[in-house]
Amino acid sequence: MDKGDKNMKTRIFNIMQYQNHPETGAQLLTEEQIKSGLDHKSIDKWAYILHDKDVYHEEDELNDPTKKAGDKKPPHWHIVLQFKSAVEIGVISRWFGVPENFIEVPKGFGRDKFLDCVQYLTHEDEKQQVLGKYRYPDEEVKASPNFNFRKKLDDRLKNLEKYGRDISYKDQIMLDVMNGRKTLRDVESEDPVFHQKYLKELQAKRHYFLQKCKPPALRINFYVYGLGGNGKDAMSRYLAMALFPEAENIDDLIFPVGAGNVTFEGYDGEPILIWSDRRSLQLVKSLGGKENFFNVFDPIPRKIRQNIKGSSVNLLNTINIVNGQETYEDFLDNIVKVKNDKGEYVVGEDRGQSYRRFPFIIPVNDKYFDILYNRGFINNNRAEFCFYDLIARINGKFSDIAAFCGNDEELQMEAAKECLEPLKKQYDIVIKEKTGKPKSKEELHQWLSDNGIGKILESDETNCNDEEIFKIDDEDIYLIDDSPIGEFEMPDDEIEGK
């Protein structure tokens, strides 16, 4: 460390001053003076300690025969300061009443100089312990409220072991975002100035994390429908609360899907997508066609990137909530409509493709709402995909509930849990049934053997002659809309204004 001149400006300072003059006994620095010096908003963080158990060592005696090895050193203060912006040493001298030659400026590159000085306060460093210096307990270190010095030192040690060097504050945050330990909202909440200054870099790191994530094992889709004013949007939000009852901030879980060309603009990995006031064919068109619609709403999603302006995004949501005014039959049938030979739009034979993607349907009435569940989804029976069973009919209207609860999220969450308890119960059953515990290789082999899957069939086991072996059953034929993606043709009655 270098002694600085009073005009030098920097951000980190290390002060050492005796409590009393070693020769005259005159008082030099008190804790009250230290607290007064620390009472300045320009100081970002600080730590200090009184060293009153230090003793002289043989090296001290060799350098100065008046200092005998084993004798106690005069009590002295160590104060470490870090400022938000550079200040002059002369300013520090005035604030603490300490001569400039007792104020040091840490030097060096590639290390956290502030933490170097803080680490010295306890003498915990291996070099200090080899010299036989007293190890001061953590409790004797006083630190600013925003600075957990022990955690910072422990984290620093982990980084040194992992990366072989110190990690700066900026690098640490960027690593946390890039590895998913922090979201952009976390950074904004913890350090809004940093968030504003490095927003583009943070967004790039977050984008990198989202792109490398695997898609969820299961994605569940809900369709909420009813006339205008019946509370479809309120129902969608309360549904999200019911599915995540432990959420501290529901807005961190919900991504309101945009319209037009900004469908996924700003997506940040939220687990719930809410598609508000969507008509079936408009929804398909906004996703570039039926094929991509099936991808986005696939119960077992694949990693398929969705385009955003100048880039792409990897959807990680486990839930889609769509609301609109079409009945569920119209909504799901319209998705798979195709043109027949006469140029008329008819429901295609792949209607099960749309029905199986929406296991939960919620019709919203003026006075009550129903919860319907797809029979074929839980039974894995394609013949039952177009059938829904009533789980419960529940009295009440969520627009009224929303008006009563206002902006009180605690009340909103309580209302969601109570009114949507039957749905949450069925949802939990689905999650358990469809995911369950991971299977082992042994279980896989046993299951294949028990069900005869993978067995080579003899000709007499096929129940058909050779001419029929390659015949395709009509039930396996799906009529595919071969319109180019992005050129989806909309029926006249779906065009706005008609």
Side-chain angles (χ1 to χ4, degrees):
M1 294 188 189
D2 289 350
K3 306 290 182 180
D5 65 72
K6 63 180 180 181
N7 296 318
M8 177 185 285
K9 295 182 73 173
T10 188
R11 295 178 57 243
I12 300 173
F13 299 92
N14 192 26
I15 302 172
M16 193 290 290
Q17 176 60 294
Y18 291 105
Q19 193 174 37
N20 299 95
H21 196 286
E23 296 177 359
T24 67
Q27 192 174 72
L28 297 177
L29 185 62
T30 66
E31 189 165 14
E32 286 69 29
Q33 285 177 263
I34 295 173
K35 290 178 179 179
S36 176
L38 294 172
D39 189 21
H40 291 84
K41 293 182 179 179
S42 57
I43 301 177
D44 182 34
K45 51 194 172 196
W46 49 262
Y48 70 89
I49 191 173
L50 176 65
H51 279 188
D52 56 357
K53 300 176 182 66
D54 291 358
V55 297
Y56 292 115
H57 296 89
E58 292 180 0
E59 186 177 350
D60 298 315
E61 187 173 350
L62 288 173
N63 294 330
D64 184 350
T66 64
K67 299 174 180 178
K68 301 298 182 183
D71 288 352
K72 287 188 67 175
K73 292 183 179 180
H76 51 281
W77 297 98
H78 287 280
I79 309 164
V80 188
L81 308 171
Q82 179 166 301
F83 285 78
K84 297 175 183 177
S85 56
V87 299
E88 295 177 349
I89 289 181
V91 173
I92 309 301
S93 176
R94 290 195 300 274
W95 287 356
F96 291 88
V98 175
E100 287 88 347
N101 61 316
F102 283 84
I103 303 172
E104 297 176 320
V105 177
K107 297 294 182 181
F109 297 95
R111 291 185 64 86
D112 190 324
K113 293 171 286 189
F114 178 73
L115 282 182
D116 279 343
C117 297
V118 171
Q119 188 177 37
Y120 181 81
L121 299 183
T122 61
H123 288 162
E124 65 190 75
D125 184 72
E126 184 179 352
K127 294 179 182 178
Q128 307 303 322
Q129 290 300 294
V130 168
L131 293 173
K133 293 190 176 184
Y134 178 78
R135 169 59 163 94
Y136 288 90
D138 287 0
E139 292 73 25
E140 295 192 24
V141 177
K142 308 291 179 62
S144 52
N146 67 332
F147 177 51
N148 183 338
F149 85 95
R150 175 47 54 203
K151 183 179 185 307
K152 291 294 183 183
L153 290 176
D154 289 346
D155 289 345
R156 183 197 199 197
L157 181 60
K158 292 177 184 176
N159 287 333
L160 285 170
E161 293 174 349
K162 187 172 183 178
Y163 304 109
R165 64 184 181 88
D166 268 337
I167 300 296
S168 69
Y169 176 72
K170 177 185 175 182
D171 287 344
Q172 185 63 65
I173 292 181
M174 293 297 177
L175 280 171
D176 286 343
V177 172
M178 192 169 74
N179 291 304
R181 292 188 291 268
K182 289 183 188 293
T183 65
L184 299 189
R185 291 190 186 94
D186 292 334
V187 177
E188 184 178 22
S189 175
E190 295 170 8
D191 194 336
V193 175
F194 184 96
H195 179 269
Q196 180 185 20
K197 186 175 181 179
Y198 298 108
L199 180 57
K200 286 189 177 180
E201 289 183 60
L202 288 167
Q203 288 173 330
K205 296 295 187 290
R206 178 66 176 172
H207 182 72
Y208 172 83
F209 167 72
L210 294 177
Q211 293 295 67
K212 71 178 183 179
C213 286
K214 293 181 179 180
L218 184 66
R219 181 174 287 156
I220 301 296
N221 306 310
F222 298 79
Y223 180 60
V224 180
Y225 74 92
L227 297 177
N230 282 353
K232 298 184 296 296
D233 279 326
M235 165 64 82
S236 299
R237 182 175 173 84
Y238 278 81
L239 173 56
M241 294 183 197
L243 298 176
F244 286 83
E246 306 304 321
E248 294 183 5
N249 184 356
I250 193 65
D251 288 327
D252 290 341
L253 301 175
I254 293 175
F255 177 74
V257 180
N261 296 325
V262 293
T263 308
F264 301 114
E265 202 71 38
Y267 178 69
D268 193 33
E270 292 88 349
I272 302 175
L273 301 189
I274 293 185
W275 310 69
S276 184
D277 197 22
R278 294 303 205 273
R279 300 186 76 179
S280 52
L281 297 184
Q282 290 170 333
L283 177 56
V284 172
K285 185 176 181 180
S286 71
L287 291 171
K290 187 163 57 176
E291 181 180 353
N292 195 42
F293 172 88
F294 287 156
N295 289 334
V296 171
F297 290 90
D298 197 332
I300 304 177
R302 293 174 293 156
K303 189 173 184 177
I304 298 178
R305 295 180 180 181
Q306 301 297 321
N307 291 330
I308 59 175
K309 187 176 180 180
S311 185
S312 62
V313 67
N314 179 25
L315 296 181
L316 303 174
N317 61 302
T318 56
I319 292 170
N320 283 301
I321 301 174
V322 183
N323 69 58
Q325 294 192 32
E326 294 173 290
T327 66
Y328 80 86
E329 295 98 332
D330 287 344
F331 176 80
L332 297 174
D333 285 346
N334 283 340
I335 290 169
V336 292
K337 277 187 176 180
V338 295
K339 276 185 179 181
N340 63 14
D341 296 338
K342 299 178 182 180
E344 300 170 332
Y345 279 91
V346 296
V347 177
E349 294 188 22
D350 59 347
R351 68 196 304 240
Q353 290 277 49
S354 60
Y355 278 73
R356 77 177 182 87
R357 279 169 166 77
F358 285 83
F360 288 97
I361 302 292
I362 304 177
V364 178
N365 194 283
D366 185 49
K367 296 180 180 179
Y368 61 86
F369 60 92
D370 292 334
I371 300 172
L372 309 180
Y373 183 65
N374 188 290
R375 189 186 303 170
F377 189 82
I378 192 67
N379 296 332
N380 293 314
N381 185 352
R382 59 183 296 180
E384 297 180 318
F385 279 147
C386 296
F387 295 92
Y388 286 86
D389 295 321
L390 179 67
I391 296 174
R393 172 166 290 176
I394 300 174
N395 188 50
K397 190 167 138 183
F398 269 96
S399 55
D400 294 338
I401 296 172
F404 179 88
C405 295
N407 294 324
D408 190 323
E409 285 201 358
E410 188 175 348
L411 284 180
Q412 293 173 2
M413 187 67 76
E414 195 64 28
K417 287 193 290 186
E418 182 168 340
C419 296
L420 292 171
E421 190 272 336
L423 184 145
K424 178 62 165 63
K425 183 178 179 181
Q426 185 65 34
Y427 173 80
D428 290 341
I429 292 173
V430 172
I431 297 300
K432 183 178 180 180
E433 177 71 23
K434 293 292 184 178
T435 56
K437 65 178 182 178
K439 306 290 193 302
S440 66
K441 290 181 179 180
E442 291 74 16
E443 289 175 304
L444 169 64
H445 293 311
Q446 187 63 50
W447 178 79
L448 292 173
S449 175
D450 292 344
N451 291 276
I453 298 175
K455 176 185 176 183
I456 299 175
L457 298 176
E458 301 296 334
S459 58
D460 59 350
E461 294 182 272
T462 61
N463 295 321
C464 64
N465 59 41
D466 291 341
E467 294 179 356
E468 295 178 317
I469 289 178
F470 298 105
K471 181 179 178 181
I472 300 175
D473 190 89
D474 288 344
E475 292 185 1
D476 293 326
I477 296 177
Y478 293 91
L479 298 180
I480 305 297
D481 180 4
D482 57 1
S483 300
I485 291 178
E487 298 181 10
F488 188 89
E489 188 174 355
M490 192 178 294
D492 288 344
D493 64 352
E494 285 294 328
I495 299 176
E496 194 168 338
K498 292 196 176 184

